[in-house]
Amino acid sequence: MIYIVTNHHNHDRFLNLQAKYIHKYTEGKYKVYCGLSQVRDPRADPQYVANHSFFDLSQVKNDHGVKMNYLSALIKEKEDIGSDDLLVFLDGDAFPIDFWDTRTRSYKKEHPLVAVNRIENIEPLMPESHKPYPHLLFVATGAKFWFDNDLSWERDIEKDILAYGPLLKFWFEENGYSSKALIRSNAVDIHPLFFGVYDDLIYHHGSASGNPTVYDSFDVWSRKKLNDTEEIHIKYCDLDLRYP
């Protein structure tokens, strides 16, 4: 079984699209644990969401990692986890664009963790020792491995670890486990960070949260003179989008 964890925040514009492509490109049996945050009435197409279970996360702390931990804990509680089961974390605006699970399982023979690394994101305020890190837009691992080792999407604000992946990266390094990095493979780049394709398997829109902003830290840090307004610099230069 493949257990997929995803969350749709503020809107459901990607819900059916994601469900359609999961259905189209997943060869193995799967279940989707789908969180809904501030989404009252999802426009769910029954043709594609038959394997979905929906959970209202409006009362869960408004933190992406916390919500993904909450959903994965539900899987641990509700499911009979087998030794060959996969656990997959997927952003609400990410979805497969090719048959992904067979290749992912082949990667997993050598690497317990298969994850997108967004090395194209410059993140200048993040310590270099934190990079590259597994990005929550797509991460796959053994479900039993994840639960047996009490892994999670924790951060450590006091130690200035504000992204969701570095602590997981550190745990894998300290315990001698390798990970397979899925790197951006776009043939055409409309934007250097948004609209990403990874390993020719996974698409990530990158700008589809409830935030109406259509630029990112990459735009500001790379071209400050083009974005020299107080509002932008307060939001993006001082904070540097350190909550990816």
Side-chain angles (χ1 to χ4, degrees):
M1 182 64 70
I2 301 169
Y3 297 104
I4 299 173
V5 177
T6 190
N7 179 58
H8 293 265
H9 181 69
N10 279 350
H11 63 78
D12 63 352
R13 291 193 294 269
F14 280 80
L15 193 153
N16 283 323
L17 184 64
Q18 182 189 64
K20 176 181 178 180
Y21 278 82
I22 290 174
H23 176 79
K24 180 177 181 179
Y25 288 119
T26 304
E27 296 174 291
K29 293 182 179 180
Y30 69 91
K31 294 182 180 180
V32 179
Y33 275 60
C34 182
L36 302 174
S37 303
Q38 310 302 326
V39 178
R40 294 183 179 179
D41 184 19
R43 297 184 296 273
D45 188 331
Q47 179 180 0
Y48 300 121
V49 299
N51 296 324
H52 284 54
S53 295
F54 292 101
F55 301 90
D56 181 4
L57 302 188
S58 299
Q59 303 305 312
V60 178
K61 182 180 178 181
N62 189 22
D63 180 289
H64 189 43
V66 170
K67 291 177 179 179
M68 299 302 254
N69 288 337
Y70 180 89
L71 291 168
S72 60
L74 288 178
I75 293 174
K76 182 179 180 180
E77 174 188 332
K78 295 175 177 292
E79 303 290 348
D80 183 15
I81 305 299
S83 59
D84 196 42
D85 290 347
L86 282 181
L87 179 64
V88 177
F89 297 93
L90 193 64
D91 267 358
D93 61 340
F95 46 84
I97 55 173
D98 202 350
F99 293 101
W100 65 275
D101 48 316
T102 299
R103 194 190 307 179
T104 298
R105 286 188 183 278
S106 70
Y107 290 152
K108 199 175 144 305
K109 291 178 181 178
E110 297 184 15
H111 309 282
L113 191 77
V114 180
V116 163
N117 284 185
R118 287 213 303 178
I119 59 175
E120 69 275 17
N121 191 355
I122 55 177
E123 298 180 290
L125 296 186
M126 177 179 286
E128 291 301 316
S129 62
H130 294 190
K131 308 176 189 177
Y133 58 90
H135 200 284
L136 195 44
L137 77 90
F138 176 84
V139 174
T141 188
K144 195 172 188 304
F145 179 86
W146 184 269
F147 295 131
D148 285 352
N149 288 290
D150 293 321
L151 301 179
S152 68
W153 294 104
E154 298 297 328
R155 301 185 291 175
D156 193 331
I157 306 300
E158 293 183 358
K159 293 183 179 179
D160 204 33
I161 301 175
L162 305 180
Y164 297 106
L167 282 178
L168 191 61
K169 163 191 168 74
F170 299 155
W171 186 90
F172 269 75
E173 291 174 347
E174 291 167 2
N175 288 276
Y177 292 110
S178 63
S179 61
K180 169 65 178 177
L182 305 186
I183 305 300
R184 189 181 182 98
S185 58
N186 288 51
V188 176
D189 273 311
I190 301 174
H191 184 275
L193 185 59
F194 298 153
F195 321 120
V197 175
Y198 296 89
D199 204 49
D200 297 333
L201 285 181
I202 304 296
Y203 173 79
H204 183 229
H205 200 66
S207 59
S209 69
N211 192 335
T213 302
V214 292
Y215 50 84
D216 203 276
S217 59
F218 193 104
D219 301 292
V220 175
W221 283 100
S222 300
R223 303 181 295 173
K224 291 182 183 179
K225 292 182 180 179
L226 299 181
N227 300 283
D228 195 19
T229 72
E230 181 179 358
E231 178 184 358
I232 292 176
H233 278 277
I234 288 174
K235 187 173 184 182
Y236 290 95
C237 292
D238 293 344
L239 298 180
D240 187 38
L241 287 182
R242 291 185 291 173
Y243 297 87

